[in-house]
Amino acid sequence: MFNLDHTEELLIDSEDLTSCFNLFSLPRCWTQFTAFGKAVDSSTFGHPPGELMYPAISVIPMGWLSSVSLTQAIVRHLVFDLSGVPKATEVRKTADFPAGSNVSVIYLDSF
């Protein structure tokens, strides 16, 4: 709950990153951690037949233990590092409430 002075204004903005786990691709070196356990014939993927391949997910797997943390780190990088929102404005439960009148709340798929 916020208590605003009559001269203050509360601004709220949100951008829903629908299906956010599927928006961001993982580095190619991570495929060894997201590969399925069953090999399939390479012709499945348009390669010449006769070679076995292990399909792998190239996006963040939903349900993976680190999925939320990884996606949260990506969104924080977009908001703070690339968009220039000051990190000191972030409201986090692991830190004191930010000083000043500007605050930011980052939650997985919205800002």
Side-chain angles (χ1 to χ4, degrees):
M1 181 178 286
F2 288 97
N3 184 14
L4 299 176
D5 188 66
H6 72 282
T7 60
E8 296 177 314
E9 184 176 357
L10 177 63
L11 301 175
I12 298 175
D13 184 25
S14 179
E15 182 62 37
D16 183 18
L17 302 176
T18 303
S19 192
C20 65
F21 293 105
N22 298 314
L23 288 178
F24 307 111
S25 62
L26 296 170
R28 195 165 183 80
C29 63
W30 286 38
T31 56
Q32 63 182 321
F33 304 112
T34 61
F36 293 94
K38 181 179 180 185
V40 298
D41 192 272
S42 58
S43 62
T44 306
F45 301 103
H47 297 282
E51 183 181 342
L52 292 178
M53 300 178 77
Y54 288 90
I57 296 173
S58 62
V59 295
I60 301 170
M62 291 175 55
W64 183 40
L65 185 61
S66 300
S67 292
V68 172
S69 296
L70 184 58
T71 306
Q72 185 82 358
I74 292 168
V75 173
R76 291 182 83 249
H77 174 65
L78 291 170
V79 170
F80 295 122
D81 301 329
L82 300 181
S83 298
V85 174
K87 287 183 181 182
T89 65
E90 185 180 17
V91 176
R92 294 188 344 236
K93 61 183 173 182
T94 57
D96 292 336
F97 198 84
S101 59
N102 294 324
V103 297
S104 304
V105 176
I106 308 299
Y107 178 72
L108 192 62
D109 62 355
S110 66
F111 161 62

